[in-house]
Amino acid sequence: MNQLTHKNAAVTRIALYLFLFATVVITVLPFAWMLSASLKLDKDVFTFPVRWIPEEPRWQNYEDIWTKIPLGRFIFNTAKITVIVTFLQLVTSSFAAYAFAKLDFKFKNQLFLGYIATIAMPWQVYMVPQFIMMRNFNLTNTHMSMICLQAFTAFGVFLMRQFYMSVPDELCEAARMDGMSEYRIWSGIMLPLSKPALSTLTIFTFVATWNDFLGPMIYLTRTELKTIQIGLRMFITQYSSEYGLIMAASVVVLIPVIIVFLSLQKFFVQGIASAGLKG
Amino acid sequence: MQKELKKNLIAYSFIAPNFIGFAVFTFGPILFAFILAFLSWDGANPIMWAGLDNFKRLFNDSQFKTSFVNTIVYTAGTVPLTMIFSLLLAVVLNQKIAGRNFFRTLSFFPYVASLVAVAVVWNMIFNPSMGPVNMLLRNMGVENTPGWAADKNWAMFTVILFSVWKNMGYYMIIYLAGLQGINPELYEAGDLDGVNGWQKFKHITLPQLGPTSFFVLIMLTIQCFKVYDQIYMITQGGPGTSTLVLVYHIYNTAFISWDLGYASAIALVLFVLVLAITVIQFRGEKKLS
Amino acid sequence: MRKTLMTLSIITILLLNSVAFAAASGSQEKTGGDGVTTLKWALWDFDATTYYEPLISAYEAKNPNVKIEPVDLGSTDYMTMLSMQLMAGDSSLDVVTIKDMPGYNNLVKSKRLLSLNDYVASKSVDTAQYGGIAEQITVDSDLYALPFRSDFWLVYYNKDLFDAAGLDYPNNDMTMAEYDAIARKMTSGSGASKVYGAHYHTWRSAVQLFGILEGKQTILEGDYDFLKPYYQMILDEQADGIVQDYATLKTSSTHYSGVFYNNSIAMMNMGSWFISTQIAKVESGESKATNWGLAKYPHPEGVHEGTTLGTITTLGVSAFSKQQEAALDFLGFVTGPEGAAIIAETGTIPAIQTDEVVEIISSTPGFPSDDASKEALKVYQTYLEMPLHEKAGEIEVVLNQNHDMIMTNNISLDAGIAQMNKEVKEILGR
């Protein structure tokens, strides 16, 4: 009996590792390919069968990406927008979410429904009205336009609300009894408690803003304002595509995202836990 | 009354910073897009009233019909597959195994990586004549290997597989979080009763994950109905119209024909559809609990 | 009470927004105190294109009080971005580059472009110098743009591969049947060392448009039966392994330049834009097809040699520009003989194609030295890849979809053509 379970456990373990191995292969493949392509000439990128280790690695690609387009400038622009957007998103979302989760007020449900309903709307639909409006505010060709568009999302409020819902109401009640104002409760109790949720929102916002392409493309037409995703597209010119350079730049651009992800990973998992449970 | 007012004002002051930005930059344009569905506009000439004309046109638009059906098929295929695989992955990565954090990070990669690169690799792997998948199938003795993205009968399936793979890690993390919220005592009780792993999964894990699954279901459904980028990267809606989805058709109508009113009308249909399905899911969830 | 408040707030939001929509776009004063006029020129791929810079500096040298500011909207989705920038009376662009005909048609239809009739009349611009193009883009007797680039299709071939096979190079007067025969003879080998006789890129124009060279029918009439023999020829080549498989090319996003560089195809039909790229890549060492030549486009039996497909790039002036006069002057420069000479010097084919221009291009370093290749640049007649039509954009979508189906063998040729006929007639009848 004991031996049998022992054997079973071993089989399960092996199956487990096989499954993991398969997953690793299919998730790592694109990155291996990206790396390998980034060291090739454009014409060799698509040759079959795939040559994973280029015969003569072309490190030149990693030099060219900085000179062919103002990549440094683009990274700076993107970083600037991403950091501001993420900060605003965190503050305003958690602020608003507190009201939706812990306070009672008129039109609470209607307002919340209004928020959620917009998640279902594809951006392509209201892109045009939005663009005309921004232009009339004289915000096109400013980083301000990207910040305004991305800092106030329904998703952020939704996520933070789900987290606050899971915090026991008694905690707030007790604080109110002690005469704490709602603002103090938010900053003194809720914020410190919501580190996991905040980390989650940080990584989501960071990835979304960092990888955003269509927004910057429409709003930022002056070269000195452009972001890295547009920069990546610059290597796809009308008559040829410089895939070697695209991939080299993709690798460089991926690094900040990975750093942010790794540094927040610990909190990250707990964050969605709380949000998901109350979903 | 005075107190009530003060209470409301405090609450509104919390919402205001986000709400004002949200109302002006997102909600306003969306409302405008709704109204646009009843207008006729090309973005430059004066706006004209169209009444229900845009909606009447839907009935004679074969591209709309095709894209409507395709969107449903895509959603019906992607949602369950993504849920199953991400749950499976989450359960495995919740075990105490070596290198767990490493594996977790890795499985999140496809979601974070640039779509351009990821799509290119995917098309390589599933290349009908020289891709490793078909090579493998041929070695296994399959004679008529699928044409994948190049075959009208397989293209949708290929896109679905891609979406599952790309989003698996994202929902895996949500599930993982849900799993960690399950009270360990429940499993200990199960151990005492001598139930096996499968039974534990079926009778403890699954029911306990209900709320998480619900969250995943809603977000995933909405995401599937709005799909555009992934299809654009893998098949561009082809071959022919076999993977043409609603948002793709909306994009064509709005930015190739500059028929903004009609594009909004299609979007309105999509919106109502998503809303209806979300409401049904909400009802179902309430019944279950 | 609740409802009224809710309604009120929605109305407020709407009002706020409609005020924003209605507000006249901020008028930007572009003429500075020092009398310098700044013109904004919408274009794509500024850094990757060789002729923008010399054009601008030549014009600025001639007109010291004008500054040209390029606005790069990127090449993917360029026309969408352009239309967006020109939305509802925006004056931030002055001169616009127009990439394709459906886009031109949309700009004209939505009155985003200024009519050039008065300008052409007052400066007595000779539109005949564009070889019939100006007439092809005239809408209801109004002209809204002038071409500055005019590319046409020809055959690129790999001399080394022909030498190795001991065959004559493709000549400048090939019928379709002769072209097919050469392609079949040139195919050899297998596996990685296989040489394909010809190569068709995944664009619809590379295959379908042989049909319009007869000059009897256009692709906008809703009847596509005349395309069948051409499709059949290429489908047969595909089935016999004479050319690479469309489905494979499409799913692997293979770029046509790569296969040509790698010495794996003997002939390739492609636009003249590839000349300057090929020259540059031979020089950089990336193109291994160093010994190459050009031949005129193959043509159906009974059609004059030098009949080919053309695709034009035009310049227009925004209807909302506040400096139309200055913009028109710049447009005149780029589309005129001076501009043409500058463009030709970068190895690109300008819209004005005189013997001098052919001379300039064929004497570019790196251009094939034989006379036949030089002769190949002389065009007898071009048909636009996509003529001007009100519904061109929609029709193009349908044609592309069905082309895709036919070439991937997802549908029989007959059924595919029938489908094109049906769907395009639907669009035309709407």
Side-chain angles (χ1 to χ4, degrees), chain A residues 13 16-17 19-21 23-24 26-31 33-34 45-50 52 89 92-96 98-100 103-107 111 114-130 132-134 137 139 148-149 151-155 157-159 162 182-183 186 203-204 207 211 214 229 232-233 236 243 246-247 250 254 257-258 261-262 265 268-279, chain B residues 1 4 7-15 17-22 24-30 32-34 36 41 43 85 88-89 92-93 95-98 101-114 116-118 120-121 123-125 127 130-132 135 165 168 170 173-174 176-178 180-181 208 211-212 214-215 219 222 226 228-229 232-233 247 250-251 254-255 258 260 263-264 267-268 270-271 274-275 282 285:
Chain A
R13 196 133 282 245
L16 219 86
Y17 277 103
F19 177 75
L20 278 180
F21 178 74
T23 316
V24 167
I26 60 171
T27 49
V28 154
L29 220 56
F31 302 97
W33 187 84
M34 256 168 86
V45 168
F46 289 104
T47 46
F48 258 110
V50 180
W52 291 97
Q89 173 87 282
T92 66
S93 297
S94 66
F95 209 51
Y98 177 73
F100 281 121
L103 298 175
D104 249 329
F105 56 94
K106 270 188 171 173
F107 311 122
L111 276 175
Y115 265 99
I116 300 305
T118 58
I119 300 182
M121 203 68 177
W123 187 56
Q124 285 85 348
V125 178
Y126 57 93
M127 191 164 109
V128 172
Q130 201 175 45
I132 296 176
M133 186 183 80
M134 293 302 257
F137 290 158
L139 285 179
C148 288
L149 287 190
F152 315 101
T153 65
F155 180 78
V157 177
F158 189 27
L159 191 90
Q162 297 304 94
E182 298 293 342
Y183 306 103
W186 172 76
I203 183 84
F204 279 143
V207 171
N211 284 344
L214 215 51
Q229 292 300 324
L232 286 184
R233 286 288 172 115
I236 306 178
Y243 273 99
I246 295 176
M247 293 308 152
S250 297
L254 198 60
V257 185
I258 291 177
F261 180 79
L262 286 178
Q265 196 213 12
F268 189 33
V269 169
Q270 297 164 4
I272 315 184
S274 339
L277 274 176
K278 275 282 175 170
Chain B
M1 192 64 212
E4 182 74 19
K7 208 175 129 195
N8 279 340
L9 280 180
I10 289 180
Y12 290 140
S13 72
F14 270 98
I15 298 174
N18 188 281
F19 184 75
I20 292 173
F22 173 75
V24 172
F25 296 111
T26 307
F27 204 61
I30 287 182
F32 188 85
F34 270 133
L36 211 52
W41 192 39
F85 278 105
L88 195 67
L89 204 58
V92 170
L93 287 180
Q95 314 288 320
K96 288 196 177 65
I97 47 166
N101 277 342
F102 170 75
F103 287 126
R104 285 180 184 174
T105 310
L106 224 54
S107 51
F108 197 65
F109 263 27
Y111 181 75
V112 188
S114 120
V116 183
V118 168
V120 165
V121 181
N123 271 333
M124 291 257 179
I125 297 172
N127 189 297
M130 296 171 289
M135 296 251 192
W165 173 65
M168 199 168 59
Y170 179 90
I173 289 198
I174 299 185
L176 202 53
Q180 284 167 347
Q208 287 290 313
T212 311
F214 176 68
F215 181 81
M219 293 307 287
I222 292 179
K226 284 164 66 176
Y228 173 76
D229 295 5
Y232 179 78
M233 287 297 174
V247 175
I250 291 173
Y251 188 89
F255 301 116
W258 284 93
L260 296 175
S264 286
L268 206 60
L270 177 75
F271 180 74
V274 174
L275 212 61
F282 260 110
E285 140 102 333

Side-chain angles (χ1 to χ4, degrees), chain C residues 94-411:
Chain C
D94 300 298
V95 183
V96 298
T97 317
I98 301 154
K99 197 173 180 179
D100 55 34
M101 277 293 121
Y104 172 71
N105 176 61
N106 274 328
L107 291 176
V108 171
K109 207 167 66 177
S110 55
K111 305 192 179 68
R112 285 174 167 101
L113 290 179
L114 182 74
S115 167
L116 301 181
N117 282 16
D118 292 344
Y119 171 78
V120 168
S122 69
K123 299 274 161 159
S124 45
V125 176
D126 175 20
T127 53
Q129 64 188 339
Y130 302 114
I133 291 170
E135 287 70 32
Q136 292 186 64
I137 59 171
T138 300
V139 189
D140 298 335
S141 73
D142 270 310
L143 185 64
Y144 294 90
L146 285 174
F148 69 98
R149 247 190 104 156
S150 176
D151 284 294
F152 52 89
W153 286 64
L154 18 74
V155 173
Y156 295 77
Y157 60 89
N158 189 317
K159 287 182 180 171
D160 285 344
L161 291 179
F162 274 90
D163 292 343
L167 284 171
D168 288 340
Y169 297 151
N171 66 50
N172 279 328
D173 188 6
M174 275 186 288
T175 63
M176 293 302 294
E178 285 163 358
Y179 171 73
D180 182 45
I182 299 174
R184 284 172 182 277
K185 270 187 227 152
M186 278 305 297
T187 305
S188 66
S190 64
S193 62
K194 173 153 185 172
V195 171
Y196 292 91
H199 184 81
Y200 303 100
H201 191 54
T202 52
W203 296 328
R204 180 178 52 83
S205 43
V207 170
Q208 189 184 68
L209 295 185
F210 285 119
I212 65 170
L213 296 179
E214 292 174 41
K216 289 176 198 142
Q217 270 149 316
T218 77
I219 50 159
L220 297 171
E221 287 161 23
D223 187 357
Y224 299 96
D225 289 340
F226 72 102
L227 298 175
K228 275 186 194 169
Y230 303 98
Y231 265 115
Q232 194 60 57
M233 177 189 112
I234 289 153
L235 286 172
D236 287 345
E237 288 178 355
Q238 190 169 295
D240 298 342
I242 308 299
V243 297
Q244 286 187 40
D245 182 41
Y246 175 94
T248 305
L249 293 174
K250 179 108 186 186
T251 50
S252 63
S253 358
T254 304
H255 198 265
Y256 58 84
S257 58
V259 279
F260 191 74
Y261 298 161
N262 282 344
N263 287 322
S264 57
I265 50 177
M267 295 189 290
M268 175 171 80
N269 60 327
M270 191 37 69
S272 51
W273 53 79
F274 184 55
I275 296 177
S276 52
T277 316
Q278 159 69 3
I279 291 175
K281 294 290 181 176
V282 168
E283 201 182 300
S284 75
E286 188 170 343
S287 177
K288 303 275 181 281
T290 48
N291 193 11
W292 57 291
L294 291 168
K296 287 186 183 177
Y297 215 50
H299 54 80
E301 198 74 50
V303 171
H304 197 285
E305 57 156 287
T307 302
T308 184
L309 307 169
T311 183
I312 53 170
T313 316
T314 59
L315 274 193
V317 170
S318 160
F320 318 119
S321 162
K322 295 205 164 68
Q323 325 172 79
Q324 291 177 343
E325 223 148 277
L328 282 169
D329 192 67
F330 178 66
L331 177 143
F333 173 81
V334 175
T335 57
E338 286 167 278
I342 295 171
I343 293 169
E345 269 159 33
T346 64
T348 312
I349 317 271
I352 302 175
Q353 288 167 12
T354 56
D355 287 345
E356 283 160 63
V357 164
V358 171
E359 198 55 50
I360 295 176
I361 291 174
S362 55
S363 56
T364 318
F367 191 88
S369 53
D370 59 309
D371 284 340
S373 292
K374 187 176 155 188
E375 178 65 25
L377 292 179
K378 289 188 181 145
V379 169
Y380 174 75
Q381 161 130 39
T382 51
Y383 293 103
L384 287 186
E385 277 184 43
M386 184 46 92
L388 188 65
H389 190 279
E390 200 192 343
K391 302 256 172 75
E394 285 168 76
I395 294 176
E396 197 172 32
V397 169
V398 167
L399 291 182
N400 284 339
Q401 286 170 352
N402 287 301
H403 172 72
D404 204 34
M405 289 293 263
I406 294 173
M407 294 303 292
T408 49
N409 294 317
N410 271 310
I411 193 171

Side-chain angles (χ1 to χ4, degrees), chain A residues 38 78 81 104-105 133 168 195 226 230 239 244 265 269 273:
Chain A
S38 73
T78 319
I81 294 174
D104 249 329
F105 56 94
M133 186 183 80
K195 259 186 225 148
K226 288 180 177 171
I230 308 185
Y239 300 120
Q265 196 213 12
V269 169

